[in-house]
Amino acid sequence: MDVQSALRANWEFRVEHKGIRIFSSKVKNSDVLGFKGETELPVTFKKLISLFYDTENYHRWVHQLAGMDVLEKNDCLEYVVRQVINAPWPLQKREMIVRTGLMQAGDNAVAVTMTGEPDYLPLNPKYHRVRHCKGLWIFTPSENGCVNITFIMHVNPGSDVPSPVSNTAMFEVPFYSLHNMRTLLTSGSYDPPYPSEIENHLSIIEDAPDTP
C-alpha cells in the first residue's frame, strides 16, 4: 500500500469521538470498506516506534487481539507476525499473518507498513485464515511537538462474514486501537525500550511535546 495513494483515496468522514476521527472508503473489487483513523498524541516519534516493536504488549492496545507470535525477524525494519483476532460467536477467530516494515514517508514522517501473507504457514483448522490484509500507520510531526497518527487498513475477514457486518465492525478497530494506544503511551508507567539499531537505517528527528 503506497503512502501517498492511501492518503489521497476518496475518504468519507464518518464520526469523531474523543479526539479520534474515523473515515471510510470504497475499495475496488470489494464490498468491505477500507477505514482510516486519525488522532494526535503528545508523544515522541521514538516512543511510538518503540511501541510497535514492543510485541509482548500488543494485547494492551490492539483491538480484540487474542494472541500474537513473531514468526520472522530479518532485520530491525521488517518482521512477520501472526495475530489471532476475536470474532463474535459462532464465528471462528480470525488468524492474520502480516509482514510489517518501517520506512520514511516524506519530510520527517515515518510509516509502518502491513501486508498480509496468508500462505506463510499451513492452515490451522482452529482459526479462519484472513486472505486479504493491507494497512499503514503514518506518523507525522505537528507544530506543537506532538505527533499526528493516521491508521489506514483494509481487511476482508472472510466470506462467512456478511459485508454489512464487516463494515459495521471495522469502525471499532481504528477507534479502540487508537484510544487504547493513547491510554498506554500517555501512561507514566509505560516505557518500552527503543531499538537503537533503527538509526542505522532511518533518520529520526523529533521535538519533545509541549508542556504547560
Side-chain angles (χ1 to χ4, degrees):
M1 182 180 288
D2 175 73
V3 174
Q4 295 306 317
S5 297
L7 291 173
R8 288 195 301 266
N10 187 24
W11 293 106
E12 179 183 353
F13 174 74
R14 303 301 293 263
V15 67
E16 180 172 359
H17 184 53
K18 295 185 177 181
I20 299 170
R21 299 172 297 282
I22 306 298
F23 303 77
S24 68
S25 178
K26 292 182 179 179
V27 176
K28 187 177 181 180
N29 299 323
S30 178
D31 292 328
V32 179
L33 298 172
F35 67 73
K36 179 174 73 167
E38 295 179 341
T39 194
E40 183 180 80
L41 295 183
V43 297
T44 65
F45 261 38
K46 288 187 175 180
K47 192 167 186 178
L48 269 173
I49 292 170
S50 300
L51 171 98
F52 276 85
Y53 281 83
D54 183 19
T55 54
E56 292 184 0
N57 280 298
Y58 268 44
H59 67 281
R60 298 176 66 182
W61 64 273
V62 176
H63 184 55
Q64 294 291 4
L65 182 66
M68 178 165 163
D69 302 300
V70 178
L71 304 178
E72 177 186 327
K73 199 167 186 180
N74 294 325
D75 57 37
C76 68
L77 299 185
E78 183 178 276
Y79 50 93
V80 179
V81 299
R82 170 185 170 270
Q83 294 184 337
V84 176
I85 307 296
N86 288 320
W89 185 90
L91 298 174
Q92 282 186 304
K93 292 180 180 179
R94 308 291 106 165
E95 182 186 47
M96 297 196 306
I97 301 176
V98 182
R99 184 173 295 274
T100 301
L102 186 67
M103 58 180 286
Q104 296 280 173
D107 294 339
N108 204 30
V110 174
V112 176
T113 61
M114 297 174 288
T115 305
E117 294 202 2
D119 299 318
Y120 189 94
L121 290 178
L123 294 177
N124 186 332
K126 291 176 57 178
Y127 307 109
H128 185 106
R129 179 72 54 82
V130 172
R131 303 298 305 175
H132 174 81
C133 167
K134 276 195 172 185
L136 284 169
W137 289 87
I138 306 168
F139 311 144
T140 308
S142 61
E143 294 182 355
N144 58 359
C146 296
V147 178
N148 291 314
I149 300 176
T150 301
F151 176 24
I152 297 173
M153 200 159 193
H154 180 247
V155 177
N156 188 331
S159 58
D160 59 331
V161 184
S163 55
V165 175
S166 297
N167 291 333
T168 299
M170 283 302 164
F171 287 106
E172 297 179 0
V173 176
F175 174 76
Y176 286 108
S177 292
L178 285 166
H179 182 268
N180 295 340
M181 176 187 287
R182 178 170 61 199
T183 300
L184 182 60
L185 285 170
T186 56
S187 168
S189 61
Y190 181 67
D191 187 24
Y194 178 70
S196 58
E197 62 270 24
I198 287 177
E199 304 293 348
N200 298 327
H201 303 271
L202 298 178
S203 176
I204 306 297
I205 302 172
E206 61 183 10
D207 296 320
D210 292 343
T211 55

